[in-house]
Amino acid sequence: MEKPTVVVLFGATGDLAKRKLLPGLLHLHQAGLLQDSVIVGTSLEDLDSEGFVKLAHEACVEFGDDYTDESWAAFEPMLSYVPTGKGPEALAQEVYRVETELPGDIHDKRRLHYLSVPPRAALAVLKELSDANLVERARIIMEKPFGTDLESAKDLNARVHEVFDESQVFRIDHFLGKEAAQNILAFRFANGLFEPIWNRQFIDHIQIDVPETLGLEGRTKFYESTGAYRDMVVTHLMQVLAFTAMEPPTSLSPGPISDEKLKVFRSMQPLKPANVVRGQYSGYRGKEDVADDSDTETFVALKVEIDNWRWAGVPFYLRTGKKLAEGARIISIAFKEPPLTMFPEGSGVGTQGPDHLTFDLADQSRMSLSFYGKRPGPGMKLDKLSMQFATHDTANSGLVLEAYERLIHDAMRGDHTLFTTADGIEELWAKSMPLLDNPPPVRSYQPGSWGPNAIHQLIAPHAWRLPFERAWRTGATSHP
């Protein structure tokens, strides 16, 4: 922490605030990364500060990983609350009040506004911040989705820039806050073993797979205005794709990384509807706020082509959806197979697919490199083997921050490295317009499956890496 900060949490009584943001702020305070800071909550609920503290305490007890009474006792005095209904003047008055209690000169103090609100409410919050005169010395974190197409994204960016400069804006994508996502950069650019083969000469195809087992209970109204592509692909999977595909930046600082990500988006071919499979799980139609003939997709799989010198001819396959067989978040890099005719028939070589490098983006960051090796004993029999790494096996595993915690801390420090830019968002929507203007039909799939059968034609002659034929190793036996 460089400067004392007032964190203004809009939507402070909502689900995201209770599950992630309040417990995350408590953990940042425990880690010594939220010193000289205060938190002002605000939302539509007509609470006083005492009521908000009670709500925050219950959320931290239920959802905090390492809650203790001692840590809460130190954190509780940092909290206060102003109902939105009291108007921008009341919010400004509370921010000014708590700001004067922080140490240091007023010009050295920061404000961080976190908009944990539905997209339709974002503009109202911007107006409230402008009316309350809380823009100066401020940074603002905005939640996804950022627009629903190119026109709305441009309009939203223009409206944001009427109030905040682009340097003040942090468009959050919690996937990029995960330890494993940043490990992609370290793994690629710090090791002479992998960066020289990270290209079309050696890589056959790449999969970014984020299936979810949860349905859309309670979120159908939101989903009817977005769907899986707008909700997950533009905001999450494409950002992970950019980390995987970008050229080496001149430095690991925000400007150069954003520049290289934008180059990836500009090199992408416009999305062809023929390269997209849309699905909807059986039973979605007819639910609350869902029409009987709704064609909103709860599943999407697509092939992305990047037409540059590094990736031309290497397809990127993206998949995500609700009510699928398993929940996972993986990046799987399939390497090209060498000539195999030298091996005798029945040796087993090539029967379990190509060599893979797999990044698991789940909360326990893991990586696996799978390859063929000789089975001990007579003859030439080959098995698929793997080398694995897991963050929780290292001496520093206790220092891992949850994704939202890392991103809040980065925004406090003004570090844009893991955030998306206006140019990047608009470029992605531009490449998405052929799909959005002419979407393929929605295909039905059964809850608990891996999506519509058409996904196998999409990826042929390859195969989806999930489900793994083996589980991640937890002891010393199994491996993917």
Side-chain angles (χ1 to χ4, degrees):
M1 276 290 298
E2 294 176 351
K3 298 178 183 292
T5 302
V6 178
V7 179
V8 183
L9 182 55
F10 291 86
T13 60
D15 187 64
L16 178 63
K18 288 189 281 194
R19 287 180 175 272
K20 294 291 185 182
L21 304 182
L22 290 167
L25 289 165
L26 172 61
H27 186 234
L28 283 174
H29 185 254
Q30 285 176 286
L33 300 174
L34 202 65
Q35 303 305 310
D36 296 331
S37 296
V38 289
I39 299 156
V40 178
T42 182
S43 77
L44 295 173
E45 287 201 41
D46 190 16
L47 297 173
D48 56 13
S49 289
E50 184 180 344
F52 177 61
V53 167
K54 182 175 182 292
L55 178 148
H57 181 249
E58 291 171 353
C60 291
V61 169
E62 183 175 358
F63 299 110
D65 289 335
D66 46 7
Y67 170 88
T68 65
D69 289 338
E70 293 78 16
S71 63
W72 175 258
F75 181 69
E76 180 183 347
M78 298 168 57
L79 300 172
S80 67
Y81 183 84
V82 179
T84 304
K86 289 195 172 181
E89 297 82 7
L91 179 62
Q93 188 176 2
E94 180 63 12
V95 171
Y96 296 150
R97 182 188 72 79
V98 297
E99 205 168 44
T100 58
E101 297 177 358
L102 294 175
D105 183 86
I106 189 67
H107 299 292
D108 290 329
K109 298 175 185 179
R110 292 278 184 194
R111 299 157 180 167
L112 180 67
H113 306 304
Y114 195 122
L115 273 60
S116 178
V117 298
R120 63 183 181 276
L123 292 177
V125 174
L126 289 172
K127 184 178 187 307
E128 183 178 359
L129 288 170
S130 178
D131 292 346
N133 216 10
L134 293 175
V135 175
E136 187 184 6
R137 296 179 281 108
R139 294 170 178 141
I140 180 171
I141 297 178
M142 302 191 71
E143 277 284 346
K144 68 172 181 80
F146 206 85
T148 56
D149 55 21
L150 179 58
E151 183 179 353
S152 63
K154 283 185 171 180
D155 180 61
L156 182 53
N157 278 326
R159 301 284 292 274
V160 170
H161 292 155
E162 288 174 3
V163 182
F164 288 93
D165 182 78
E166 177 66 15
S167 64
Q168 296 175 278
V169 182
F170 293 76
R171 298 169 187 81
I172 196 166
D173 171 20
H174 71 271
F175 270 46
L176 295 189
K178 293 181 177 295
E179 199 76 38
Q182 294 164 79
N183 228 337
I184 298 168
L185 299 181
F187 198 84
R188 285 187 59 187
F189 300 131
N191 296 296
L193 180 62
F194 285 100
E195 182 54 26
I197 61 170
W198 208 267
N199 56 56
R200 59 193 169 105
Q201 261 104 24
F202 299 96
I203 291 177
D204 185 75
H205 68 280
I206 293 175
Q207 296 179 32
I208 300 173
D209 213 349
V210 186
E212 297 180 285
T213 57
L214 296 175
L216 288 163
E217 291 73 14
R219 297 185 66 215
T220 49
K221 186 174 183 179
F222 162 75
Y223 232 69
E224 278 297 287
S225 63
T226 54
Y229 182 81
R230 290 177 170 93
D231 180 48
M232 290 291 293
V233 177
V234 175
T235 49
H236 293 326
L237 275 66
M238 289 294 193
Q239 305 302 327
V240 173
L241 180 150
F243 264 30
T244 309
M246 63 191 267
E247 295 295 320
T250 54
S251 71
L252 291 179
S253 52
I257 286 181
S258 293
D259 290 345
E260 296 305 334
K261 286 172 60 182
L262 182 56
K263 288 178 188 176
V264 172
F265 300 147
R266 286 175 173 163
S267 299
M268 279 173 47
Q269 298 276 26
L271 293 177
K272 302 171 186 172
N275 287 340
V276 179
V277 174
R278 297 168 70 234
Q280 185 186 89
Y281 65 77
S282 205
Y284 173 78
R285 290 180 181 175
K287 288 189 178 296
E288 187 179 0
D289 298 315
V290 180
D292 291 339
D293 59 350
S294 168
D295 69 346
T296 299
E297 80 277 2
T298 62
F299 170 98
V300 65
L302 60 152
K303 179 169 78 170
V304 177
E305 299 167 296
I306 301 175
D307 191 23
N308 62 16
W309 284 95
R310 185 181 288 264
W311 296 114
V314 179
F316 287 70
Y317 296 103
L318 281 54
R319 175 173 65 170
T320 187
K322 307 294 183 184
K323 282 193 180 290
L324 296 179
E326 294 176 23
R329 296 169 179 178
I330 71 155
I331 305 167
S332 185
I333 291 104
F335 292 98
K336 289 187 175 177
E337 293 190 88
L340 302 174
T341 53
M342 62 180 283
F343 291 93
E345 190 174 346
S347 67
V349 67
T351 57
Q352 297 183 57
D355 298 342
H356 279 91
L357 176 64
T358 304
F359 294 87
D360 183 356
L361 300 185
D363 292 334
Q364 288 291 0
S365 168
R366 296 178 291 199
M367 292 186 296
S368 170
L369 177 63
S370 66
F371 51 89
Y372 288 94
K374 183 185 177 301
R375 184 188 305 171
M380 182 58 73
K381 294 282 189 181
L382 280 77
D383 286 327
K384 200 74 175 288
L385 310 172
S386 76
M387 293 186 292
Q388 295 190 17
F389 158 83
T391 301
H392 58 78
D393 290 337
T394 69
N396 295 324
S397 61
L399 301 178
V400 173
L401 294 177
E402 201 271 336
Y404 280 102
E405 297 165 9
R406 178 185 309 282
L407 293 169
I408 290 170
H409 184 240
D410 283 355
M412 285 179 169
R413 297 186 299 114
D415 186 344
H416 277 87
T417 304
L418 301 176
F419 295 85
T420 55
T421 64
D423 288 342
I425 287 289
E426 289 179 14
E427 188 66 33
L428 280 175
W429 283 121
K431 294 301 171 65
S432 303
M433 290 316 295
L435 169 63
L436 299 180
D437 288 340
N438 187 28
V442 163
R443 302 167 186 263
S444 180
Y445 66 94
Q446 289 302 311
S449 70
W450 285 99
N453 289 332
I455 61 171
H456 303 298
Q457 286 80 51
L458 174 71
I459 202 170
H462 314 299
W464 290 100
R465 190 87 202 285
L466 286 175
F468 286 137
E469 64 277 12
R470 289 158 288 181
W472 281 96
R473 181 164 58 229
T474 53
T477 51
S478 59
H479 50 273

